[in-house]
């Protein structure tokens, strides 16, 4: 059975680099969003006047530094791609209060919690799932 989508809205926007913008998403009715493991991502559904429905996937960053986000909050970081549709639309139109739908978190790449020594390698925007993995490892005092 298909898992339901969630109605969320943009609660905060932060420019991280010239091309990467962070968005805090909170549930519209204030209820907790599903919990997830480090490395998970969501499908983000949004409508562009030019392209109609756009669905793109974004990793859940999980919090700032070692601090986890509240249970009603997801944090994503979106890199604006040149010539692109989805990320450019998100950068151009998402502001505090923008409403959208997201799918439930999925993890295709979970950490093996038995590992004590872990080497994480990421390039560019690929750091987003690694960031929450690093936080998880630091909290469990793994190397
Ligand atoms: C599991 C998963 C997690 C992800 N996590 C993140 C994340 O945390 N942050 C993030 O930013 N992204 C993430 N992505 C990628 C994200 O889902 C999108 O693919 C990304 O934002 C690009 O979408 P877009 O619609 O902007 O680009 P698209 O329109 O799909 O274009 C894709 C690429 O093609 C190029 N292109 C398109 N049209 C042309 C053209 N006419 N000429 C030349 N080049 C062209 C664009 O420059 C772009 O690089 C993730 C993807 C997956 C699958």
């Amino acid at each position: 059975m298909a898992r339901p989508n969630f109605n969320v809205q943009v609660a905060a926007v932060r420019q991280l680099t010239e091309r990467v913008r962070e968005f805090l998403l909170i549930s519209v009715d204030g209820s907790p969003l599903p919990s997830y493991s480090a490395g998970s991502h969501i499908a983000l559904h949004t409508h562009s006047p030019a392209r109609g429905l756009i669905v793109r996937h974004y990793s859940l960053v999980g919090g700032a530094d070692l601090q986890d986000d509240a249970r009603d909050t997801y944090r994503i970081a979106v890199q604006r791609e040149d010539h692109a549709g989805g990320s450019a639309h998100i950068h151009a139109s998402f502001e505090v209060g923008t409403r959208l739908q997201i799918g439930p978190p999925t993890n295709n790449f979970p950490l093996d919690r038995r590992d004590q020594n872990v080497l994480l390698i990421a390039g560019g925007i690929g750091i987003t799932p690694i960031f929450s993995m690093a936080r998880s490892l630091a909290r469990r005092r793994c190397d």
Side-chain angles (χ1 to χ4, degrees):
M1 198 170 69
R3 297 188 294 166
N5 288 340
F6 298 88
N7 295 310
V8 297
Q9 64 187 17
V10 176
V13 181
R14 191 161 61 119
Q15 193 78 30
L16 299 179
T17 71
E18 193 185 332
R19 290 172 56 210
V20 178
R21 206 170 278 180
E22 176 189 83
F23 299 93
L24 284 191
L25 307 176
I26 60 168
S27 57
V28 166
D29 63 3
S31 55
L33 294 165
S35 57
Y36 59 91
S37 53
S40 296
H41 69 275
I42 51 162
L44 183 155
H45 303 243
T46 181
H47 283 271
S48 140
R51 291 170 166 251
L53 177 65
I54 296 174
V55 181
R56 294 289 184 273
H57 298 90
Y58 294 101
S59 296
L60 294 167
V61 179
D65 301 322
L66 284 181
Q67 191 74 36
D68 281 341
D69 286 325
R71 283 291 315 278
D72 67 345
T73 303
Y74 286 168
R75 183 186 301 255
I76 59 172
V78 178
Q79 177 165 280
R80 180 176 38 77
E81 302 292 347
D82 295 332
H83 310 294
S87 59
H89 169 70
I90 290 168
H91 273 248
S93 66
F94 279 25
E95 56 190 19
V96 172
T98 299
R99 292 192 175 198
L100 60 139
Q101 286 207 321
I102 56 170
T106 305
N107 197 343
N108 296 334
F109 192 45
L111 276 174
D112 188 333
R113 294 178 71 88
R114 293 167 299 185
D115 289 339
Q116 273 302 310
N117 297 294
V118 180
L119 177 63
L120 300 172
I121 301 176
I125 192 62
I127 198 173
T128 49
I130 302 295
F131 197 78
S132 87
M133 291 179 183
R135 184 185 307 101
S136 168
L137 292 165
R139 205 163 33 216
R140 288 187 279 125
R141 300 187 189 286
C142 298
D143 289 329

